Structures are given as structure tokens and as C-alpha cells.
Amino acid sequence: MMMIFSNLIRKWRSLRYYVIADPADNSVTLSKRLFAHIRKEAGDDASVFVFRIPHHGTFGFMLNHGIAEPTQLCQIQYNAKYRCVGFETLCPSVGRIFYEYGLPALRPVKLSVEVRKTPQGKTYYQLTQPTRKLLEKCKTR
């Protein structure tokens, strides 16, 4: 019973918290609800650190990363033409994320996001692995 309830909560959140990843320009567009959550959690810090989570086999991103050494960071930006908010990730690229997830890099794909906490209490956002149904849908198009 508890498993069903947690799956329903995860499904409900996936409708609100998601990104649209586009391999053509390595852009990650945030949903309005996800961006609102990020603003609440991170404040004015607009630099994003994108990383791979090997023990989950997924990718994630974090604001307020606290990394002092030089590394590849992305800036959250507003696109006035399309009225959306997102960032460009170059390391890892969206193409690399699609490759790891088994998605064809032909068009943008909507990926659900789970809000997680590190053992130190910092918030990060995990890109959920696509379901088998989504993989089949993307490959048949």
C-alpha cells in the first residue's frame, strides 16, 4: 500500500517538476513549477553544476554547490523569445545524457525531475531515468 502511495506522489510531482532537454543546442528548459522551487531553495544564485550520479545511473544538477575549484558551471537564463527559463550544459552534454539513458538524439525530450537531498542537507535535482514506455515512444517516432 505504501509503495502505491509513493508511486502516486512521484507521478504527481513528475507532472509539475520536469525539464525539456534538447540535444540540438545542449539546452535544458525548466518547468515553471521546478523553476519556482529552485528560486525558493537557491535564492539569487544562478550558477548550476550538472553531474552524473553513478550509483543511481542518472544525472542531476545542483545550485549552491559550494565548489571552490574551477569547473564547468552553467548559468540559468531567461529566453525572452520563447518566454522560458533554462541553462546550457556542456559537461555533461545533453547528447551524453541521452546516450546514457538510451534516448535517440533527434528531438527534445521531457524528463521528470526528483528533488533530493545530499547527506549534508544540500538540495539537488535528479533527472529521472526514462521509463520503458517513453523509450519505446521516442524510438518509434
Side-chain angles (χ1 to χ4, degrees), residues 1 8 21 24 70 74 136:
M1 182 68 172
L8 286 173
C74 316
E136 290 171 5

Side-chain angles (χ1 to χ4, degrees), residues 15-33:
L15 296 174
R16 300 175 72 203
Y17 296 155
Y18 63 88
V19 298
I20 298 174
D22 188 354
D25 59 359
N26 285 315
S27 67
V28 177
T29 304
L30 307 170
S31 69
K32 289 180 182 182
R33 296 284 179 142

Side-chain angles (χ1 to χ4, degrees), residues 2 23 25 35 45 48 52 54 57 71 73 82 86 89 96 99 109 111 114 116 118 124 126 129 137 140:
M2 189 61 152
D25 59 359
F35 179 62
D45 183 17
V48 178
R52 187 172 187 279
T71 188
L73 297 176
Y82 297 108
T89 178
R96 176 64 184 189
Y99 176 77
V109 174
L111 298 171
E114 290 184 31
R116 303 229 173 192
T118 66
Y124 71 96
Q126 180 177 321
Q129 279 191 336
K137 182 180 174 183
T140 58

Side-chain angles (χ1 to χ4, degrees), residues 125-140:
Y125 303 90
Q126 180 177 321
L127 302 176
T128 308
Q129 279 191 336
T131 61
R132 193 175 283 143
K133 183 178 176 181
L134 177 64
L135 288 172
E136 290 171 5
K137 182 180 174 183
C138 288
K139 288 181 181 179
T140 58

Side-chain angles (χ1 to χ4, degrees), residues 21-28 50-54 57-60 72 88-107 109 111 127-130 135:
D22 188 354
D25 59 359
N26 285 315
S27 67
V28 177
V50 183
F51 52 91
R52 187 172 187 279
I53 308 168
T58 61
F59 291 85
Q72 179 70 43
E88 177 186 33
T89 178
L90 299 174
C91 185
S93 67
V94 173
R96 176 64 184 189
I97 294 170
F98 277 31
Y99 176 77
E100 291 278 330
Y101 285 171
L103 294 167
L106 303 174
R107 65 185 53 85
V109 174
L111 298 171
L127 302 176
T128 308
Q129 279 191 336
L135 288 172

